[in-house]
Amino acid sequence: MHRLPRIFLPCVASLVAAGTIAGVASATGGNGAAQPGYSVVMRGLDNPRGLTFGPAHGNGEHDGPGGSALYVAEAGTGGTLRCTTLRGTVCVGLTGAVSRYWHGRQERVVEGLPSYAPFNAANAGAVGPSDVSFDGGRGYVTIGLAANPALRTALGEKFGWLAQFDRGGNVNYEVDVSAYEVQANPDLGPVESNPYGLLAGAGTSIVADAASNSLLRVSSSGSISTLAVFPSRFYPHAGSRVTDSVPNAVALGSDGAYYVGELTGVPFLAGEANVWRVSPGGASEVYCSGFSFIIDLTFDRDGNLYVLENASGLGGPFTGTPGQLLRVGRDCSRTPVATGLPAPTSVAIGPEGDAYISVFGTSAAIGEVVRVDLGERDRHDDNEWDD
């Protein structure tokens, strides 16, 4: 049973129409999400999603902090190529992008990626580029779908693909990830796909398909296999309704295992999201439980786990309820290190030990990336990477 497609489209569109998301923006003064201890490093982004650090020049060389740049996937604003009905009217364009921040300069390094957004919804809640990752000097980006792959005929463009890009911004659509859902249907539910979280490395890409509740391995030859499937759950206390896992984030732990965060689906109950540990062989187990609406997770260089919750209250995700970043201990204890985050969608830890978080992640034009001082600077002797 799949619930993710209901998240980014009609849900967000209705919130914009009601002014909920605009209310979050005005609560921060309309001039950024910065709070004490936060600073805005990127702004003016269109539905910013996944973050990562990668080579500044696309040549695969990491020569210390100066050679690492911050990249963000922008889901775009839809467009005017065509409109179609997909749980409401959506319009398609090539407005998706990947932007880079390096040495104080923000620029789009990849443009023209597929994007669709609800009609008359201020381009909020777009579906398009979802995450970005690097394998040496090669950049990769997942293009979301959030629908049955059969609907791609009406959408056009390469939604549901894994694309590779080079230092010149040239894009090669390498693997049709959503086609695998049609062929294999890993969770044996309705056929829906949304390639979201991405981890590239050693010639292999790991993709979290949030709508198929699965973690997929994509080989260097482009073949796809199922690494893990995350079960739906039955909640007697919520009207006997089943909710999906909705895995949308993956990170590599120091033990060589993959750690996967789940958003969960409707009825969106707080405290029901898990962090899963998946061995390279595919054995999976719940690592820590009791989170709410996980949207991303990552590790710092010391092996500390950070979990980003899209919303930290009872309102559910994408409702205007602020999110938070948690530091998670090895005993699953958790410490909030950043709170009050408006519509956060991704987190990455920088070379100097600070956290970088994409916020206003379901809004066009006002998306930002903020830097949060985690107090880790005294533990590392790196110079400021962005000076």
Side-chain angles (χ1 to χ4, degrees):
M1 192 174 187
H2 303 285
R3 301 295 179 189
L4 187 72
R6 304 190 181 200
I7 294 173
F8 282 107
L9 293 178
C11 177
V12 174
S14 63
L15 293 175
V16 172
T20 304
I21 290 177
V24 176
S26 63
T28 61
N31 296 313
Q35 300 179 25
Y38 302 5
S39 58
V40 178
V41 297
M42 300 180 76
R43 50 174 46 89
L45 301 169
D46 292 327
N47 288 281
R49 304 290 162 78
L51 295 169
T52 194
F53 280 85
H57 298 293
N59 56 12
E61 296 179 1
H62 288 268
D63 53 352
S68 295
L70 177 64
Y71 292 80
V72 57
E74 295 181 73
T77 59
T80 58
L81 288 180
R82 65 192 65 86
C83 294
T84 188
T85 300
L86 185 68
R87 299 173 305 279
T89 301
V90 300
C91 295
V92 180
L94 297 176
T95 56
V98 176
S99 285
R100 179 180 67 193
Y101 179 79
W102 185 56
H103 283 198
R105 180 183 179 188
Q106 175 183 328
E107 63 178 329
R108 285 199 169 115
V109 293
V110 181
E111 297 181 288
L113 299 175
S115 170
Y116 73 82
F119 181 66
N120 283 339
N123 299 318
V127 172
S130 299
D131 203 0
V132 58
S133 187
F134 283 85
D135 181 8
R138 297 182 297 276
Y140 294 86
V141 58
T142 45
I143 310 297
L145 173 59
N148 186 316
L151 296 175
R152 291 189 291 181
T153 301
L155 288 170
E157 313 314 320
K158 292 188 178 294
F159 292 97
W161 281 69
L162 175 64
Q164 186 255 326
F165 61 90
D166 63 20
R167 61 184 299 178
N170 302 300
V171 178
N172 178 36
Y173 293 90
E174 292 200 333
V175 181
D176 186 351
V177 177
S178 292
Y180 183 74
E181 167 69 3
V182 177
Q183 298 162 6
N185 192 8
D187 72 345
L188 303 179
V191 177
E192 293 175 350
S193 176
N194 193 32
Y196 203 87
L198 175 64
L199 180 64
T204 298
S205 293
I206 305 298
V207 177
D209 190 325
S212 76
N213 298 310
S214 60
L215 189 68
L216 307 177
R217 178 186 282 121
V218 182
S219 73
S220 58
S221 66
S223 64
I224 304 176
S225 58
T226 303
L227 190 59
V229 176
F230 305 100
S232 297
R233 293 189 283 281
F234 178 73
Y235 296 136
H237 57 285
S240 301
R241 185 162 193 174
V242 173
T243 188
D244 282 340
S245 166
V246 193
N248 55 8
V250 56
L252 182 65
S254 59
D255 58 354
Y258 303 111
Y259 289 79
V260 178
E262 57 182 14
L263 180 73
T264 68
V266 290
F268 297 125
L269 299 177
E272 298 290 350
N274 299 322
V275 173
W276 290 81
R277 181 186 182 275
V278 181
S279 72
S284 59
E285 61 180 347
V286 174
Y287 178 70
C288 292
S289 61
F291 297 94
S292 298
F293 322 120
I294 297 173
I295 197 69
D296 202 5
L297 47 71
T298 191
F299 289 91
D300 67 14
R301 69 176 67 186
D302 295 321
N304 296 306
L305 174 64
Y306 290 84
V307 171
L308 181 64
E309 296 179 331
N310 178 265
S312 55
L314 299 176
F318 314 109
T319 61
T321 303
Q324 63 180 347
L325 180 65
L326 305 171
R327 182 187 292 120
V328 181
R330 298 185 189 278
D331 60 352
C332 291
S333 60
R334 55 212 67 179
T335 303
V337 295
T339 59
L341 300 168
T345 45
S346 188
V347 60
I349 304 298
E352 81 294 349
D354 287 345
Y356 293 77
I357 304 171
S358 50
V359 295
F360 302 117
T362 53
S363 298
I366 66 169
E368 296 176 343
V369 176
V370 297
R371 178 165 63 182
V372 180
D373 184 353
L374 297 179
E376 301 291 299
R377 294 177 185 273
D378 58 339
R379 301 171 63 180
H380 310 297
D381 58 3
D382 288 334
N383 295 319
E384 283 286 350
W385 68 278
D386 62 343
D387 285 351

